[in-house]
Amino acid sequence: MEQRTYKTKQEVLIRGQEAIGKTLGEIDKTGRIATGKGAVGTVIEESWFGYKPNSKPAPDFEEAGVELKVTPYRRTPRGIQAKERLVCDMLNYEEEYGKTFETSAFWTKCACMLLMSYEHKDGVPKVDFTIDKAVLFQFPDEDLEVIRNDWKILMDKIKAGQAHLISEGDTMYLAACPKGRNSQDTRSQPFSPIPAMKRAYSLKSSYMTQILRRYIFGDEPCEKIIKDPALLRSGTFEERFEEMLRPYIGKSCTELKAQFGITSTAKNINELLLAAMLGLKGRLASTDEFQKASIVPKTIAIEPNGTIKESMSFPVMNFCAMMNETWEESTLYNLLAPTKFLFIIFQKTEDGECYFQRIKFWNIPADDLEEVHRVWQRTVDTLREGVHIWKDSRGRNCNNLPKASESRVAHVRPHGIDSTDTAPLPTGGSMTKQCFWLNNSYVRSQIEN
């Protein structure tokens, strides 16, 4: 197809919508679809819009001011889910910190995007995937204020000589995702001699899920915590969130239940109380901001002696699937690295009462994430070599997967219903279902910090 110029946003949109209903096989005129990762976007660029992919800092349709992004999704029991994060543009540590948000590589490229979507179906050849939507997308005001702050967080880390400590969980919607072959694929940074992992600006998959649901498939918007976007111009989301809760610090659960007329004895009573403090009608985890930022609320009860009983668990592992994962693409990495947690902290007293102490937004620091990587790698190596299982003197099953005593951060232990709740091993046989845990002592240290 000949090189074509699109001068207006409307021209770009009309051409994009003409692809709706066509399969990638029908669109592909060069055989590019078979070239591997990233091929789908290239097929749309070359064979449909008629321009050659390039690495220019300007948006794809420069005269129209529109960037093309092709995004896959899955249909799940929980609804539409973005298949992956949306990678925007490389993060150049040596240059970006000297720019404003408006002149940044991210905003220059992605202020206005043509989003074209298709449903990814496992086992279906790429050539049979069908373009089903094409919309022009510009960030709503409330999201833009959060994204501006996300960008500032990244620039502040670069200026502090901490580009090597950047993590996807540092920010809410706009993240800096790994973009190298592995963690050893690094770049220089301007304010430290320590090399930093190669990264790119990206919109988190949780954010893209909500964009797909709301702006492409027309779902009703989720309940918002911050109702007025103007409030985010003079403070971050986290600061505004903490302000809303400040009047309730120090109150007991009994007082709070009486104040809000809550009689529930549900296990998640503390999360219900927090939702009431914020004036929410629904669940905290279902709010617009928590859904977009993939914020996970976790209630933590501090015992009278200052300890925390429970470690923090993650979903049950798929032993066999782990054999085909790399760390940066592993289930555990994608559960932990991009996620921001909200610790809802209550203090227990000797008489059994609980008092709302405070909240803390937390994401795992880069150094600690690397320690989890080590625990994950030892787990994979053990599964590959064959897990050793034996019974101790009390008749309990034991194994040689990583224990809490081996790492200050994480360990592996059972998470099945009982000893008969098992999963197959890659070397044959089966064992009790296991999961990764963050050590309770580690969680306590992070709360103290």
Side-chain angles (χ1 to χ4, degrees):
M1 189 172 179
E2 293 182 6
Q3 185 86 9
R4 179 176 168 183
T5 300
Y6 297 83
K7 296 184 177 181
T8 67
K9 291 178 172 57
Q10 191 63 21
E11 280 184 66
V12 174
L13 177 60
I14 290 171
R15 181 58 179 163
Q17 290 178 333
E18 288 172 352
I20 293 173
K22 295 184 181 295
T23 66
L24 295 176
E26 291 175 306
I27 292 172
D28 185 18
K29 306 302 181 188
T30 64
R32 180 78 72 175
I33 196 69
T35 59
K37 195 170 184 180
V40 173
T42 306
V43 165
I44 300 297
E45 289 174 327
E46 288 184 333
S47 295
W48 190 253
F49 283 99
Y51 71 87
K52 293 182 179 180
N54 59 72
S55 56
K56 292 194 301 184
D60 293 321
F61 307 105
E62 188 169 357
E63 290 189 40
V66 178
E67 175 75 1
L68 172 66
K69 291 297 179 185
V70 184
T71 184
Y73 65 89
R74 300 179 192 270
R75 293 188 186 274
T76 75
R78 294 182 297 165
I80 297 293
Q81 297 277 341
K83 180 177 176 287
E84 57 202 26
R85 62 173 76 88
L86 187 72
V87 178
C88 301
D89 200 28
M90 294 305 300
L91 174 52
N92 186 324
Y93 304 123
E94 299 285 354
E95 296 179 1
E96 282 295 283
Y97 74 90
K99 299 179 180 179
T100 64
F101 176 75
E102 286 74 17
T103 60
S104 67
F106 165 74
W107 191 246
T108 299
K109 274 270 192 185
C110 298
C112 179
M113 295 183 285
L114 177 72
L115 296 179
M116 298 179 68
S117 64
Y118 65 93
E119 182 181 358
H120 176 93
K121 298 178 181 178
D122 292 335
V124 175
K126 285 182 183 177
V127 291
D128 293 331
F129 292 154
T130 303
I131 299 296
D132 53 21
K133 301 282 183 179
V135 300
L136 282 175
F137 175 77
Q138 293 175 279
F139 296 94
D141 288 345
E142 63 266 28
D143 292 1
L144 189 53
E145 294 304 326
V146 174
I147 287 169
R148 283 177 182 276
N149 186 63
D150 288 341
W151 182 82
K152 182 178 182 299
I153 288 170
L154 296 175
M155 295 308 107
D156 287 347
K157 276 207 163 182
I158 295 171
K159 292 173 185 176
Q162 296 178 347
H164 59 291
L165 298 180
I166 288 174
S167 169
E168 289 181 85
D170 290 338
T171 50
M172 289 186 62
Y173 304 164
L174 176 67
C177 69
K179 196 56 178 167
R181 294 179 297 276
N182 52 51
S183 60
Q184 304 309 309
D185 192 352
T186 58
R187 296 292 182 270
S188 64
Q189 57 171 312
F191 300 106
S192 170
I194 302 172
M197 187 186 298
K198 184 179 177 183
R199 291 183 178 273
Y201 288 116
S202 66
L203 296 171
K204 291 187 179 185
S205 60
S206 54
Y207 182 77
M208 289 308 301
T209 291
Q210 296 309 310
I211 296 309
L212 284 163
R213 290 179 180 179
R214 177 76 180 93
Y215 297 99
I216 293 184
F217 290 94
D219 288 3
E220 288 299 313
C222 299
E223 185 177 13
K224 288 182 170 60
I225 296 171
I226 307 298
K227 307 294 193 292
D228 182 2
L231 293 173
L232 296 174
R233 293 178 195 143
S234 57
T236 67
F237 170 78
E238 291 95 330
E239 289 168 345
R240 293 290 175 242
F241 191 94
E242 289 186 20
E243 282 178 10
M244 295 169 75
L245 296 173
R246 201 165 290 146
Y248 306 103
I249 290 175
K251 292 193 175 185
S252 70
C253 286
T254 302
E255 289 177 285
L256 291 169
K257 287 169 74 174
Q259 180 172 346
F260 296 114
I262 295 175
T263 57
S264 172
T265 57
K267 191 175 180 180
N268 67 336
I269 180 61
N270 292 335
E271 190 179 335
L272 295 176
L273 289 173
L274 197 74
M277 295 180 219
L278 294 165
L280 299 175
K281 297 176 183 177
R283 294 177 61 245
L284 177 62
S286 299
T287 57
D288 183 71
E289 295 94 338
F290 272 49
Q291 289 283 303
K292 286 176 178 173
S294 187
I295 301 174
V296 177
K298 291 276 187 182
T299 295
I300 295 176
I302 301 175
E303 299 297 318
N305 65 0
T307 62
I308 296 172
K309 280 187 178 180
E310 298 295 327
S311 298
M312 187 187 298
S313 66
F314 292 89
V316 170
M317 328 175 171
N318 183 326
F319 300 134
C320 296
M322 288 173 66
M323 298 301 95
N324 300 315
E325 292 180 338
T326 62
W327 168 238
E328 280 81 11
E329 295 178 343
S330 69
T331 301
L332 181 61
Y333 180 92
N334 285 292
L335 283 169
L336 189 54
T339 301
K340 192 178 287 289
F341 293 88
L342 171 67
F343 292 153
I344 308 165
I345 305 166
F346 284 81
Q347 176 69 57
K348 286 185 178 179
T349 56
E350 295 289 355
D351 61 6
E353 183 61 274
C354 276
Y355 289 82
F356 175 50
Q357 190 186 78
R358 59 194 169 92
I359 57 101
K360 178 174 181 174
F361 286 98
W362 177 85
N363 61 280
I364 190 165
D367 288 346
D368 295 347
L369 184 61
E370 192 53 35
E371 173 61 15
V372 176
H373 178 192
R374 187 189 68 79
V375 173
W376 176 87
Q377 189 62 59
R378 192 171 99 60
T379 302
V380 171
D381 291 343
T382 303
L383 289 168
R384 186 171 284 122
E385 294 163 5
V387 181
H388 298 159
I389 302 173
W390 68 93
K391 290 190 180 293
D392 65 12
S393 58
R394 298 170 62 182
R396 297 175 302 185
N397 287 335
C398 300
N399 61 61
N400 60 332
L401 292 169
K403 305 292 185 291
S405 58
E406 298 177 39
S407 170
R408 65 183 177 81
V409 179
H411 66 281
V412 174
R413 62 183 164 94
H415 204 295
I417 298 170
D418 54 38
S419 60
T420 65
D421 190 9
T422 62
L425 289 165
T427 53
S430 63
M431 74 177 295
T432 306
K433 291 176 180 176
Q434 308 278 321
C435 80
F436 291 100
W437 300 70
L438 294 183
N439 302 346
N440 56 358
S441 56
Y442 172 72
V443 175
R444 175 60 180 165
S445 72
Q446 296 305 298
I447 289 173
E448 290 173 344
N449 289 338

